[in-house]
Amino acid sequence: MTFEVKEPVLVVGLGGAGIKLASEMKEALGADSLKISQDKKDVSEDNSIHISTKSIINPSVQLIRGCAMEQSENIAKQLSPYETVVIMANLAGKSGAALAPVVSSICKEQNKNVLSFAIMPFKFEKDRIFQSGISLKRLRINSDSTIIIDNDAVLDSNPDLNAERCYDITNNAIKCLATSIKSSELTDDTNILSSSRDTENMEESVKDSIRMLYEDAPPNSIKRSMLYVYGASKIPVGVINSISNILGGIFDENNSEVDMSSSNNTNVVLLSAIAGETRFEKYDPLGMIPEEKTLDWDEPETSFDCDLDLQQIE
Ligand SMILES: Nc1nc2c(ncn2[C@@H]2O[C@H](COP(=O)(O)OP(=O)(O)OP(=O)(O)O)[C@@H](O)[C@H]2O)c(=O)[nH]1
Ligand SMILES: [Mg+2]
């Protein structure tokens, strides 16, 4: 089914990187925005909610989540006037991983139309992998459509790049896609966003994007692919035809599409709807157990500071 972006739209940025990208998305959609973070530096302007962890300056993900739940009425009040909520969450950061399940479940309670973006960590960020996995699982359940951007897949296909350049690739892909949301079709699915570094050679970029996609999902779990070509009017038509042939040859001809957009820079972004296994289920060691055989808490793991003389086990 198609995901319909109904006005009024609110873009919610969670955590440092989520907030940075939310401002870009807000501009592209002409929407309002809300910033939520545990870090005071991220939420200095209007329309923001600071999640205070009181005297603790190095809170755990569970503690940030507990403190956010104390503010859930405030968050719910801010969300209520909107039809569509776009959540921009950096699940590689602590705030994003803590807040994504809380904010998305409030959206679900309020029956919002929810589109979420999730950034996943590099594999060397071992302490982030588990939290990002369980947070993603809940974010996907509460969202109508989810778009996953995996830092680790960028690294695997571009090992010579530094982190800043990797962020440039992913952030640029998100920015580009933001400009296409109004004009193009999004589906009610989980999607993986992949892209490549800037090269003069468009065919190479498409192949790099497909390589990046395969880091996250096996070819048989890809249902549909949409290739966004930016700056298309500057690219020779023969090259666009050849890109379309490459795509049609790899994915089923009927399930792949090329969307051409105008832009100052030329770039390609591949958005693929997936059904079935991705690598992210394995981020939680228990994630491999099929859903119908799993009993899970309704609320994600949360820690509260309740002044008991008992030590908290986390
Ligand atoms: N793709 C992408 N990933 C980012 C970006 N910034 C941070 N990350 C990822 O998030 C991890 C943590 O970086 P931080 O700068 O602490 O991110 P943050 O969003 O401020 O996180 P918190 O402060 O913990 O909420 C990095 O190692 C990256 O994996 C960005 O601009 N783009
Ligand atoms: Mg930060």
Side-chain angles (χ1 to χ4, degrees):
M1 260 196 0
T2 319
F3 178 84
E4 285 171 339
V5 183
K6 290 191 203 125
E7 288 206 295
V9 182
L10 179 71
V11 184
V12 185
L14 304 178
I19 287 172
K20 196 172 64 185
L21 287 164
S23 334
E24 316 256 355
M25 182 63 76
K26 170 191 168 198
E27 297 293 317
L29 294 179
D32 292 342
S33 77
L34 173 66
K35 301 166 184 169
I36 313 178
S37 180
Q38 173 265 327
D39 190 341
K40 258 208 167 111
K41 285 199 300 292
D42 299 334
V43 288
S44 48
E45 295 155 41
D46 306 347
N47 270 350
S48 54
I49 297 176
H50 175 233
I51 305 297
S52 161
T53 49
K54 303 184 187 99
S55 53
I56 298 167
I57 57 168
N58 62 340
S60 64
V61 168
Q62 291 86 344
L63 182 65
I64 301 176
R65 198 173 283 149
C67 296
M69 282 182 169
E70 288 170 21
Q71 297 223 36
S72 40
E73 268 180 35
N74 186 13
I75 299 173
K77 201 173 90 206
Q78 302 268 354
L79 300 179
S80 71
Y82 298 92
E83 278 284 330
T84 304
V85 180
V86 179
I87 298 176
M88 272 288 171
N90 176 19
L91 303 188
K94 273 205 277 184
S95 287
L99 300 173
V102 179
V103 174
S104 61
S105 82
I106 297 175
C107 290
K108 181 138 196 212
E109 269 166 32
Q110 295 191 2
N111 269 327
K112 302 289 178 207
N113 219 0
V114 185
L115 168 64
S116 53
F117 286 79
I119 299 177
M120 300 303 284
F122 295 108
K123 76 170 138 294
F124 55 77
E125 297 177 292
K126 291 210 174 89
D127 55 332
R128 303 291 166 95
I129 297 279
F130 173 68
Q131 289 297 347
S132 70
I134 52 170
S135 192
L136 177 67
K137 187 171 147 196
R138 296 194 180 257
L139 183 65
R140 276 173 70 175
I141 294 172
N142 295 333
S143 305
D144 297 287
S145 177
T146 306
I147 298 178
I148 304 172
I149 309 101
D150 186 19
N151 283 345
D152 198 48
V154 186
L155 172 81
D156 274 340
S157 38
N158 305 281
D160 53 326
L161 295 186
N162 60 23
E164 287 282 319
R165 287 284 299 119
C166 289
Y167 299 164
D168 284 347
I169 296 177
T170 49
N171 298 0
N172 192 31
I174 297 173
K175 271 182 244 169
C176 283
L177 189 66
T179 61
S180 299
I181 287 182
K182 272 191 176 168
S183 56
S184 168
E185 240 179 43
L186 274 178
T187 51
D188 273 356
D189 281 303
T190 298
N191 297 277
I192 292 182
L193 187 72
S194 56
S195 190
S196 83
R197 65 170 96 186
D198 314 330
T199 67
E200 289 292 298
N201 187 333
M202 281 288 145
E203 281 120 328
E204 267 321 298
S205 298
V206 173
K207 287 180 191 160
D208 276 351
S209 306
I210 296 171
R211 199 171 308 135
M212 181 174 158
L213 168 67
Y214 284 168
E215 298 287 344
D216 292 330
N220 60 3
S221 58
I222 295 154
K223 273 202 301 195
R224 211 172 322 97
S225 278
M226 174 76 113
L227 183 79
Y228 296 90
V229 181
Y230 296 93
S233 55
K234 299 192 190 90
I235 302 169
V237 282
V239 172
I240 297 195
N241 189 40
S242 129
I243 289 175
S244 167
N245 290 341
I246 295 174
L247 207 66
I250 294 176
F251 307 109
D252 186 348
E253 192 72 54
N254 301 324
N255 292 334
S256 61
E257 248 181 87
V258 177
D259 181 290
M260 289 182 279
S261 308
S262 56
S263 161
N264 291 333
N265 302 319
T266 52
N267 188 18
V268 293
V269 174
L270 184 64
L271 189 66
S272 308
I274 48 161
E277 278 266 301
T278 59
R279 78 197 281 187
F280 309 112
E281 275 86 56
K282 301 195 186 77
Y283 283 13
D284 169 8
L286 300 179
M288 298 202 239
I289 303 170
E291 214 166 295
E292 63 277 10
K293 296 196 174 144
T294 312
L295 275 180
D296 203 354
W297 305 105
D298 288 340
E299 301 295 339
E301 235 184 317
T302 306
S303 146
F304 291 96
D305 188 8
C306 45
D307 290 331
L308 284 178
D309 282 338
L310 292 169
Q311 209 169 354
Q312 292 206 28
I313 307 166
E314 272 173 5

